[in-house]
């Protein structure tokens, strides 16, 4: 009797339609990962670290505001001190954007080179293009190495031809530096032998214009990158921040026709109405931004998704990304 019941149950089970397998979840895009990041993974940028540049309105009368986040310690602090003094003196008011070189930089300051600088600016040494590899950078580098070690061990567990490709992907290399990492929200390169670190020239980064060495620039002439990352400039010129909003008001400007993209006629220059540290503005007018913590699990997922696009549009994951191809997400406060 028992055997007949079992046989009948088995026959009944075979007659049932096979349960449909659940399709694998669609991998998230980098943007979807950022959108899903919890509020705790976002870090506020202090208004005292934001430089607000208002350009003259465009031809249609629309306002044009560019917001720059200044570089944190230990990088470029001499130049940033000068920039704070220049902003406090309202020195940039009435100056202009003077240079727009295609696939390279937009530069602004005093086109006449005759405007007196405020008192108290310091002369910064060329050695300040780099910073010592302090305990905080050492710790960040150690964390990155442990992550890469785990990735390498996982790669060696692959079989056959997959192992070769996986190992290759697990050992990222940068042509301009021994190591790169994202440190406290900023793209940084490292030289272990020299025990030094420096910020790198990614899109939107802001630097200090200068003349020939040993001049290092005061901070009165600034530029931002609007093209492919000019990493050859790393350690040759000071980087002091990055544009976090309004880059379109700079990157879309007409290209200069003079040498190096300088405007040849005064009428071509874009007037700068004002430049202020955000904390100097009335509280209600202060722009507020936050960045995705680069120590968070959300950022780790985002960085992996940037290096290995698995969302439906992509056919082959690239298997890697250079430091400038993993821009740190920044958003206005209150967008979620």
């Amino acid at each position: 009797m028992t055997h007949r019941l079992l046989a009948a149950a088995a026959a009944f089970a075979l007659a049932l339609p096979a349960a449909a397998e659940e399709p694998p979840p669609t991998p998230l895009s980098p943007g979807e990962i950022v959108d899903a990041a919890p509020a705790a993974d976002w870090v506020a940028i202090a208004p005292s670290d934001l430089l607000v540049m208002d350009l003259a309105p465009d031809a249609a009368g629309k306002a044009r505001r560019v917001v720059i986040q200044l570089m944190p310690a230990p990088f470029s602090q001499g130049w940033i001190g000068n920039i704070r003094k220049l902003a406090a003196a309202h020195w940039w008011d009435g100056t202009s954007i003077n240079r727009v070189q295609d696939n390279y930089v937009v530069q602004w300051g005093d086109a006449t080179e005759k405007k007196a600088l405020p008192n108290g600016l310091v002369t910064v040494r060329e050695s300040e293009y780099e910073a010592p590899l302090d305990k905080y950078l050492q710790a960040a580098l150690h964390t990155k190495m442990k992550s890469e070690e785990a990735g390498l061990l996982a790669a060696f567990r692959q079989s056959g031809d997959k192992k070769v490709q996986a190992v290759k992907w697990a050992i990222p290399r940068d042509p301009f530096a021994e190591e790169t990492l994202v440190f406290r929200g900023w793209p940084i390169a490292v030289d272990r032998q020299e025990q030094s670190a420096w910020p790198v020239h990614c899109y939107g980064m802001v630097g200090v214009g200068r003349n020939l060495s040993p001049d290092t620039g005061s901070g009165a002439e600034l530029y931002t990158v609007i093209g492919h990352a000019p990493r050859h400039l790393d350690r040759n010129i000071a980087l002091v921040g990055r544009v976090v909003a309004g880059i379109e008001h700079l990157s879309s400007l007409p290209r200069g026709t003079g040498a190096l993209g300088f405007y040849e006629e005064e009428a071509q220059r874009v007037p700068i109405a004002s430049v202020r540290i955000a904390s100097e503005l009335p509280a209600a007018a202060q722009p507020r931004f936050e960045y995705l913590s680069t120590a968070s699990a959300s950022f780790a997922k985002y960085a992996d998704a940037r290096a290995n696009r698995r969302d439906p549009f992509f056919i082959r994951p690239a298997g890697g990304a250079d430091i400038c191809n993993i821009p740190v997400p920044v958003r206005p406060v209150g967008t979620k």
Side-chain angles (χ1 to χ4, degrees):
M1 185 70 162
T2 303
H3 292 298
R4 287 200 297 274
L5 286 173
L6 289 173
F12 178 73
L14 289 171
L16 290 174
E21 289 188 11
E22 288 289 328
T26 302
L28 297 178
S29 69
E32 289 169 329
I33 292 169
V34 171
D35 289 343
D41 285 355
W42 293 87
V43 180
I45 302 172
S48 58
D49 290 332
L50 294 175
L51 192 67
V52 180
M53 179 166 66
D54 287 320
L55 307 178
D58 66 14
K62 292 182 64 176
R64 292 184 285 187
R65 170 167 284 188
V66 178
V67 183
I68 296 163
Q69 181 187 6
L70 296 175
M71 190 85 66
F75 304 105
S76 307
Q77 295 306 291
W79 291 282
I80 288 170
N82 285 349
I83 288 168
R84 292 184 183 280
K85 291 172 184 174
L86 287 157
H90 301 178
W91 185 85
W92 280 289
D93 297 11
T95 61
S96 59
I97 292 173
N98 309 315
R99 175 189 179 194
V100 182
Q101 186 170 0
D102 189 50
N103 196 32
Y104 201 47
V105 299
V106 172
Q107 187 168 323
W108 61 93
D110 174 30
T112 69
E113 299 185 342
K114 295 177 181 178
K115 188 171 184 177
L117 295 171
N119 294 327
L121 301 189
V122 300
T123 299
V124 191
R125 297 171 300 175
E126 290 179 337
S127 60
E128 299 300 307
Y129 294 147
E130 303 175 53
L133 202 56
D134 62 19
K135 64 180 182 179
Y136 302 107
L137 281 160
Q138 293 271 19
L141 195 58
H142 179 72
T143 300
K144 177 176 183 281
M145 287 172 61
K146 293 295 288 184
S147 174
E148 289 176 352
E149 181 182 85
L152 190 58
L153 288 172
F156 274 117
R157 296 190 193 105
Q158 298 287 334
S159 60
D161 292 339
K162 288 183 178 180
K163 180 186 291 187
V164 176
Q165 188 65 37
V167 170
K168 178 183 174 183
W169 286 1
I171 310 176
R173 287 289 175 263
D174 184 273
F176 295 93
E178 183 183 357
E179 288 274 2
T180 58
L181 71 157
V182 185
F183 177 67
R184 294 178 179 172
W186 296 83
I188 302 297
V190 170
D191 188 312
R192 294 178 192 276
Q193 186 172 351
E194 295 185 5
Q195 288 288 289
S196 64
W198 58 93
V200 301
H201 277 79
C202 296
Y203 183 85
M205 292 291 278
V206 175
V208 175
R210 67 167 176 84
N211 293 315
L212 295 179
S213 175
D215 180 67
T216 61
S218 66
E221 285 285 326
L222 296 175
Y223 66 86
T224 190
V225 176
I226 60 161
H228 185 75
R231 294 285 306 282
H232 59 284
L233 295 177
D234 294 355
R235 292 192 284 183
N236 284 289
I237 200 162
L239 282 171
V240 292
R242 63 181 168 203
V243 175
V244 296
I247 189 70
E248 68 276 10
H249 301 311
L250 301 174
S251 61
S252 63
L253 292 174
R255 278 35 181 167
T257 55
L260 303 177
F262 279 95
Y263 289 133
E264 296 180 278
E265 299 175 14
E266 183 177 352
Q268 295 175 300
R269 299 172 191 149
V270 179
I272 295 173
S274 70
V275 175
R276 300 285 186 274
I277 297 293
S279 53
E280 186 183 342
L281 300 173
Q286 293 177 10
R288 296 188 180 274
F289 291 87
E290 56 191 3
Y291 69 89
L292 184 62
S293 169
T294 51
S296 68
S298 296
F299 184 82
K301 293 176 185 176
Y302 161 79
D304 176 67
R306 291 283 302 190
N308 298 284
R309 297 300 295 265
R310 305 176 185 92
D311 36 312
F313 177 83
F314 289 86
I315 302 166
R316 291 173 180 254
D322 67 38
I323 188 69
C324 291
N325 203 34
I326 308 176
V328 175
V330 179
R331 71 183 187 184
V333 170
T335 57
K336 283 283 282 186

